[in-house]
Amino acid sequence: MAFIKISEQPSLYNDLEKKTVHELLTEINQEDHKVADAVQKAIPQIEKLVTGIVERMKRGGRIFYMGAGTSGRLGVLDASEIPPTFGMDPGWIIGLIAGGDYALRNAVENAEDDDTQGWKDLQEHNITPNDTVIGIAASGTTPYVVGALRDARAYGCLTAAITSNPDAPVSHEAHIPIEMIVGPEYVTGSSRMKSGTGQKLICNMISTSVMIQMGRVKGNKMVNMQLTNQKLVDRGTRMVVDELGLTYDEAKRLLLLHGSVKKACDAYRGITE
């Protein structure tokens, strides 16, 4: 049976150029409503992946997101938000995109078509069997991703794939295939739309739940966030006030001295790691 890309099938809507702005926005929103339901159906696979990641991360393992185009950019985006949000070193979750950092802003011709380059990029980061490689490919056929997962799996890494097509080649190379079937895109084949939205949701779920499991959140607060601007200093100060009952000025002084809410509270209580 031939592999059919649902994500490439014709849009359920036509004559888009003849529609009003309101019609366009309403129809796009109608399609977007399908994304959360598609992600919900994949929760058992996402749960299995997160559990495996946490086990490996406690042994020093890292997460690598890999993709091309929109998929690659979304992986890099999620990875880049981990240090400021959770205070983790940027080396723990790494996003790799076909064509390198230049491809974050520009299309790089043929970058995704080399099925050996992904593994070469992983080797530059001293990949180990404790690491997890997550390939993101809406089509499910991107050679850069398929090849990286194939070689990473053979090397002993935990592998997962996020795709918008069932039984895709990328799924066959992954221990845990996460197939998020959102259907045809509003603009035929434009996977930056529903597929991209679903990929962002899943990456959020993976990284956030991993960080919570790794102790980077207390209650519901980002107690390890980096204090990179005044808004975050103020937020952190109010967290310390709530936690320790200090005045605002006392809490701010303690926070700035120690660099994070968790460290400030631990120091105040005499807790040492």
Side-chain angles (χ1 to χ4, degrees), residues 75 112-113:
E112 68 178 62
D113 296 330

Side-chain angles (χ1 to χ4, degrees), residues 233-254:
V233 170
D234 175 67
R235 181 187 298 168
T237 299
R238 286 184 282 108
M239 288 184 196
V240 175
V241 169
D242 291 342
E243 187 72 18
L244 301 179
L246 302 176
T247 67
Y248 185 91
D249 288 343
E250 290 172 331
K252 184 175 182 179
R253 180 191 63 77
L254 192 66

Side-chain angles (χ1 to χ4, degrees), residues 9-71:
Q9 295 301 298
S11 172
L12 302 178
Y13 307 81
N14 206 348
D15 298 323
L16 304 186
E17 73 279 8
K18 298 177 183 179
K19 296 180 184 293
T20 66
V21 171
H22 181 77
E23 288 172 328
L24 293 171
L25 298 178
T26 298
E27 291 175 354
I28 291 171
N29 181 250
Q30 288 173 348
E31 287 301 295
D32 285 343
H33 274 280
K34 299 177 182 179
V35 179
D37 289 339
V39 172
Q40 182 184 36
K41 293 177 181 177
I43 285 178
Q45 289 73 41
I46 301 170
E47 179 183 3
K48 184 177 179 181
L49 174 59
V50 169
T51 301
I53 289 172
V54 172
E55 291 174 355
R56 287 167 176 260
M57 192 166 274
K58 288 179 178 178
R59 302 197 301 264
R62 300 162 293 171
I63 299 173
F64 288 90
Y65 289 123
M66 305 199 71
T70 297
S71 299

Side-chain angles (χ1 to χ4, degrees), residues 194-251:
K194 286 189 296 182
S195 290
T197 300
Q199 290 168 356
K200 180 67 168 70
L201 292 176
I202 291 172
C203 288
N204 279 350
M205 293 167 75
I206 293 169
S207 59
T208 302
S209 55
V210 166
M211 290 296 101
I212 293 170
Q213 290 287 301
M214 292 296 293
R216 309 303 293 182
V217 171
K218 182 175 181 181
N220 56 19
K221 295 182 174 65
M222 299 181 289
V223 294
N224 289 285
M225 66 183 181
Q226 293 179 352
L227 307 176
T228 54
N229 56 52
Q230 288 303 312
K231 176 191 73 175
L232 296 180
V233 170
D234 175 67
R235 181 187 298 168
T237 299
R238 286 184 282 108
M239 288 184 196
V240 175
V241 169
D242 291 342
E243 187 72 18
L244 301 179
L246 302 176
T247 67
Y248 185 91
D249 288 343
E250 290 172 331

Side-chain angles (χ1 to χ4, degrees), residues 68-69 72-73 76 95-111 121:
R73 294 182 187 105
V76 172
L96 299 177
I97 181 171
D101 286 354
Y102 178 80
L104 291 171
R105 293 179 179 272
N106 305 275
V108 179
E109 187 175 0
N110 300 324
D121 290 349

Side-chain angles (χ1 to χ4, degrees), residues 70-183:
T70 297
S71 299
R73 294 182 187 105
L74 288 168
V76 172
L77 171 63
D78 194 71
S80 69
E81 291 175 339
I82 300 307
T85 305
F86 300 106
M88 291 288 279
D89 185 277
W92 282 98
I93 301 182
I94 299 167
L96 299 177
I97 181 171
D101 286 354
Y102 178 80
L104 291 171
R105 293 179 179 272
N106 305 275
V108 179
E109 187 175 0
N110 300 324
E112 68 178 62
D113 296 330
D114 186 342
D115 70 350
T116 65
Q117 187 59 50
W119 179 242
K120 292 176 183 175
D121 290 349
L122 287 169
Q123 287 179 305
E124 289 184 5
H125 290 271
N126 300 312
I127 188 82
T128 78
N130 278 332
D131 295 328
T132 300
V133 179
I134 303 172
I136 311 173
S139 68
T141 60
T142 309
Y144 176 82
V145 177
V146 174
L149 289 178
R150 179 191 63 229
D151 293 338
R153 182 171 183 170
Y155 189 63
C157 300
L158 177 62
T159 56
I162 302 172
T163 181
S164 298
N165 289 292
D167 201 33
V170 74
S171 295
H172 296 167
E173 302 298 344
H175 292 104
I176 306 172
I178 299 171
E179 296 179 339
M180 168 201 61
I181 313 305
V182 294

